[in-house]
């Protein structure tokens, strides 16, 4: 499977993510309350889940499959597709 990134994704990869910010704040004991701690846990779980899916598709997917992670699209408003998988079938 091939993983592609858009030019915008390549530019954004140079900047710290929200997860990076929350992890740094947690290391410095700057998180204020349960709400921010919960957000950090959700960000970590989301990152872990996406990595598991990508690893699984890399291991068991077909070589002609194309994957695009974290793709922003606009259909009746902007939304993020965590992982777009394109195959020859559909």
């Amino acid at each position: 499977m091939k993983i592609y990134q858009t030019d915008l994704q390549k530019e954004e990869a140079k900047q710290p993510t929200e997860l990076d910010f929350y992890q740094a704040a947690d290391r410095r004991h700057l998180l204020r309350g349960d709400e921010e701690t919960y957000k950090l846990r959700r960000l970590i779980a989301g990152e872990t889940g996406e990595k598991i899916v990508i690893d699984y598709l890399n291991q068991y997917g077909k070589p002609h499959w194309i994957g695009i992670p974290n793709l922003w699209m606009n259909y009746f408003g902007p939304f993020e597709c965590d992982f777009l998988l394109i195959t020859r079938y559909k």
Side-chain angles (χ1 to χ4, degrees), residues 64-81:
H64 65 272
W65 288 3
I66 298 171
I68 305 172
N70 302 321
L71 180 65
W72 279 91
M73 296 190 277
N74 191 351
Y75 187 73
F76 295 105
F79 67 96
E80 181 185 17
C81 178

Side-chain angles (χ1 to χ4, degrees), residues 3-80:
I3 303 288
Y4 286 105
Q5 284 187 315
T6 64
D7 291 337
L8 180 60
Q9 288 173 322
K10 290 176 186 174
E11 283 297 314
E12 287 181 351
K14 297 174 185 175
Q15 302 296 323
T17 64
E18 189 175 19
L19 176 59
D20 294 333
F21 171 79
Y22 273 89
Q23 286 176 327
D26 185 47
R27 283 192 299 269
R28 295 179 175 127
H29 306 287
L30 297 174
L31 295 182
R32 298 180 192 153
D34 295 336
E35 194 172 304
E36 289 184 348
T37 302
Y38 176 73
K39 178 145 186 163
L40 172 61
R41 288 185 184 144
R42 284 189 43 119
L43 289 169
I44 291 170
E47 179 88 8
T48 303
E50 288 179 22
K51 184 176 178 344
I52 289 169
V53 169
I54 291 172
D55 290 345
Y56 181 85
L57 290 173
N58 277 327
Q59 185 174 358
Y60 299 107
K62 305 290 183 192
H64 65 272
W65 288 3
I66 298 171
I68 305 172
N70 302 321
L71 180 65
W72 279 91
M73 296 190 277
N74 191 351
Y75 187 73
F76 295 105
F79 67 96
E80 181 185 17

Side-chain angles (χ1 to χ4, degrees), residues 1 57 61-62 64-67 84-90:
M1 183 176 76
L57 290 173
K62 305 290 183 192
H64 65 272
W65 288 3
I66 298 171
L84 178 65
L85 180 64
I86 302 170
T87 68
R88 289 183 186 157
Y89 179 68
K90 288 188 179 181

